[in-house]
Amino acid sequence: MTISKAILDELLQGVEGPEDLLGDTGLMKELKIKLMERMLGAELTAHLGYEEGQDAPPGQRNRRNGTSTKVLKGQDGELPVAIPRDRDSSFEPELVKKGQTRIDGMDDRIIGLYAAGLTVRDIQAHLLDLYGLKVSPDLISRVTDAVLDEVREWQSRALDRMYPIVLFDALRVKIRDAPSRACKNMHCRAVDSRTVKKKAVYVALGVTRDGQREVLGLWIAENEGAKFWLSVMNELKNRGVQDILIAVVDGLKGFPEAITSAFPDAMVQTCIVHLVRHSLNFCSWKDRKAVAADLRRVYSAPTADMAEAELDVFEEKWAGKYASIAPAWRRAWQEVIPFFGFDPAIRKIIYTTNAIESLNRVIRKSIKTRGSFPTDEAATKLIYLAIRNFEKDGRNVREWFAARNQFAIMFGERFDA
């Protein structure tokens, strides 16, 4: 649609500066209101079957019944719009639906700000400064609570029958504890609500047969434990997963048993990144670079025997200063060994720096501005939105074609099933 120069000249009469065009009482805002009112009038005309100023068709009792003013919130600030009415209230406008108070994708803007880690108070201030909108905390909460319906649908969706790789991990998030039910008076509830606990957020990141990264789910619990992980495995089975070829885990005691009890044929691989990070926790800053370089000799060895020999060399060199590092690797050795049986194409994928670690980085970036969350649901909303953004950035695993061929050879019918 092209607006003629004559119409533009007529509209711009009296516009002498930016404020006259873009200000709170400027032409752009007034034009938007008038166009919306004109469109709403056209909708009512189509509903009633006669033009404004004309008589209603014979025998039709429904008529125009004036207007009511509704203040809509949008990126131009508050817009007072006259909404036309009919006598029997059967008119349902499409442009501005009944009960609607926000336009211009304002809900998406609120959710976007929330996903960026802004608190309700921060979102209020941002909308006021940028758009001149006074938005209540309840409205922001209602908009973001709508995300929970999306989370429930996402968390219960059907999954693939087989995943070549699933990486399991947990990170800690501060969440306020719920008030005790045993405490009835208001003072006790207020005290309990201030208790903050570090809860574990569990994440399962799968790689599909086609080389697509897919977050299978997220779960929040008091502590990271094998018993809870077993319930996660059973949930994945109930959602359609029948086989996992390689499960990559951290060093949690009992975790491999939880996986193999649900997926007996799964090959459990200890996360090399977790082992390295755990080892470096024992080192002084000045030695970390040298220790990391020597550990790289261990996990980059061509075979398990050569890796064990490198571990012996490492222990001989560092046992005097850091006696606990080599024994920690030996205790996890049975879950480390499978790593050396894989082709370099698969090693790159199950070495989790570029997989679960990048996901955790996105989640931590979203939650870093939060001292704590008021509820599990509040944490779930923000973490889910972070996951959604993570998957938008690209889900393809690099160099998957070479890895796929290796999987097809190593696992045969299980991979092709």
Side-chain angles (χ1 to χ4, degrees):
M1 176 181 179
T2 303
I3 301 176
S4 70
K5 185 176 182 297
I7 293 176
L8 290 174
D9 289 341
E10 184 177 353
L11 287 171
L12 291 172
Q13 287 181 6
V15 175
E16 298 178 354
E19 190 67 21
D20 295 331
L21 182 65
L22 304 172
D24 193 51
T25 58
L27 173 65
M28 294 296 290
K29 187 171 182 178
E30 183 182 359
L31 185 60
K32 192 169 191 175
I33 292 172
K34 295 302 182 184
L35 287 172
M36 291 177 68
E37 290 175 346
R38 183 68 177 267
M39 291 173 68
L40 287 166
E43 282 193 61
L44 182 59
T45 294
H47 176 69
L48 295 175
Y50 72 96
E51 295 286 345
E52 185 176 6
Q54 296 180 352
D55 294 331
Q60 179 173 305
R61 298 180 58 185
N62 198 14
R63 302 281 196 282
R64 283 179 165 80
N65 190 31
T67 61
S68 61
T69 300
K70 174 180 286 189
V71 178
L72 299 172
K73 293 179 171 65
Q75 65 183 16
D76 297 318
E78 295 185 344
L79 303 176
V81 178
I83 309 293
R85 300 178 303 190
D86 60 340
R87 288 185 180 179
D88 64 10
S89 299
S90 60
F91 177 47
E92 297 279 354
E94 287 296 320
L95 181 63
V96 181
K97 297 183 183 296
K98 288 184 176 180
Q100 180 180 343
T101 59
R102 301 177 298 283
I103 56 174
D104 299 323
M106 189 53 60
D107 286 7
D108 290 338
R109 293 177 186 274
I110 290 174
I111 290 174
L113 293 171
Y114 189 84
L118 273 68
T119 64
V120 170
R121 184 175 297 178
D122 293 335
I123 294 172
Q124 277 185 289
H126 181 86
L127 294 177
L128 182 61
D129 291 344
L130 200 59
Y131 305 117
L133 294 178
K134 294 181 180 179
V135 180
S136 70
D138 286 344
L139 185 146
I140 295 172
S141 295
R142 287 197 302 272
V143 171
T144 58
D145 281 346
V147 175
L148 289 174
D149 293 332
E150 188 177 337
V151 172
R152 282 187 281 269
E153 182 178 350
W154 173 79
Q155 188 72 26
S156 60
R157 75 193 188 283
L159 299 175
D160 290 353
R161 180 190 177 280
M162 183 277 299
Y163 287 88
I165 301 173
V166 179
L167 306 118
F168 298 98
D169 198 14
L171 52 89
R172 297 286 174 174
V173 175
K174 292 181 180 179
I175 301 176
R176 293 185 183 275
D177 201 15
S180 172
R181 293 183 179 179
C183 189
K184 300 297 184 182
N185 64 68
M186 290 298 292
H187 174 70
C188 284
R189 285 199 291 271
V191 171
D192 281 356
S193 67
R194 290 195 294 267
T195 302
V196 176
K197 289 186 176 180
K198 276 192 173 182
K199 294 188 177 181
V201 177
Y202 302 86
V203 179
L205 176 62
V207 177
T208 69
R209 181 189 282 107
D210 297 326
Q212 297 284 314
R213 296 181 302 175
E214 178 186 357
V215 180
L216 308 185
L218 72 93
W219 303 265
I220 296 179
E222 294 285 341
N223 294 293
E224 185 181 6
K227 183 177 179 181
F228 185 81
W229 273 119
L230 179 59
S231 70
V232 171
M233 299 304 131
N234 289 332
E235 179 182 321
L236 294 178
K237 288 188 69 174
N238 292 336
R239 290 167 58 194
V241 181
Q242 296 182 32
D243 195 8
I244 295 173
L245 303 186
I246 302 173
V248 182
V249 302
D250 61 13
L252 178 66
K253 186 178 180 181
F255 198 175
E257 290 79 6
I259 294 173
T260 54
S261 65
F263 302 101
D265 297 327
M267 183 180 294
V268 180
Q269 168 67 54
T270 290
C271 173
I272 302 298
V273 169
H274 279 87
L275 268 177
V276 172
R277 186 184 298 130
H278 176 76
S279 301
L280 295 181
N281 286 337
F282 295 98
C283 300
S284 65
W285 282 102
K286 67 177 183 177
D287 289 334
R288 284 194 168 196
K289 188 174 182 179
V291 170
D294 288 343
L295 286 174
R296 182 182 295 274
R297 290 176 171 273
V298 177
Y299 62 78
S300 62
T303 66
D305 290 341
M306 295 177 70
E308 192 165 10
E310 290 290 351
L311 185 59
D312 291 337
V313 173
F314 176 91
E315 187 169 27
E316 184 177 347
K317 178 178 178 179
W318 293 103
K321 291 186 77 171
Y322 308 117
S324 60
I325 295 180
W329 281 70
R330 295 189 192 284
R331 285 193 297 271
W333 200 244
Q334 289 305 309
E335 282 75 47
V336 173
I337 289 175
F339 186 79
F340 302 104
F342 300 132
D343 183 88
I346 296 179
R347 286 197 194 188
K348 286 182 180 180
I349 300 170
I350 63 176
Y351 182 80
T352 62
T353 299
N354 295 322
I356 202 86
E357 291 300 311
S358 60
L359 172 59
N360 286 345
R361 188 162 53 250
V362 171
I363 294 174
R364 289 191 181 98
K365 184 178 179 181
S366 294
I367 66 177
K368 69 179 181 180
T369 58
R370 302 297 186 94
S372 62
F373 290 93
T375 62
D376 287 3
E377 288 76 17
T380 298
K381 285 190 294 185
L382 185 54
I383 294 169
Y384 167 74
L385 290 171
I387 290 172
R388 195 171 70 177
N389 289 337
F390 167 80
E391 292 189 329
K392 284 180 181 177
D393 287 341
R395 300 173 58 185
N396 291 328
V397 174
R398 293 181 180 179
E399 302 177 13
W400 176 251
F401 182 76
R404 181 188 175 104
N405 290 338
Q406 290 289 324
F407 274 110
I409 294 170
M410 291 182 65
F411 296 96
E413 293 181 356
R414 289 176 61 195
F415 182 75
D416 295 328

